[in-house]
Amino acid sequence: VDALPTGFDVLHGDAARQAFPALADDIVGVVHARRAGWVDSGRYAAELVGRAKAAGVTFLAGRVDGVEREGGAVAGVGVDGCLVK
């Protein structure tokens, strides 16, 4: 067991579905904690938010009503009728 990798994997699209075939159709990605017997979801979410903010992410509250793509990547998100890039 000690030889198994530790850490986290971020899986998107087909990779997420290949690893977790039972995902609902509207799930676009997953974070997989390797070797985790259990996860304190509140603490985990707080850590993700804290690290994202430290990296410069801004969180907005609102309803997503569109996604703008360029070259296969997300270039902007419509939130409550306003395009955020």
Side-chain angles (χ1 to χ4, degrees):
V1 171
D2 289 335
L4 295 174
T6 60
F8 295 88
D9 298 303
V10 177
L11 305 172
H12 301 265
D14 291 340
R17 298 207 183 295
Q18 188 173 27
F20 303 100
L23 289 175
D25 291 339
D26 60 346
I27 302 297
V28 297
V30 299
V31 177
H32 173 247
R34 300 183 202 158
R35 296 181 60 189
W38 64 277
V39 174
D40 178 336
S41 60
R43 188 171 175 184
Y44 179 69
E47 183 68 19
L48 285 176
V49 169
R51 288 183 183 211
K53 285 181 176 180
V57 171
T58 301
F59 288 86
L60 300 173
R63 181 179 175 86
V64 173
D65 48 30
V67 177
E68 184 177 291
R69 299 179 201 181
E70 291 177 8
V74 173
V77 178
V79 179
D80 292 332
C82 296
L83 182 62
V84 180
K85 289 193 169 208

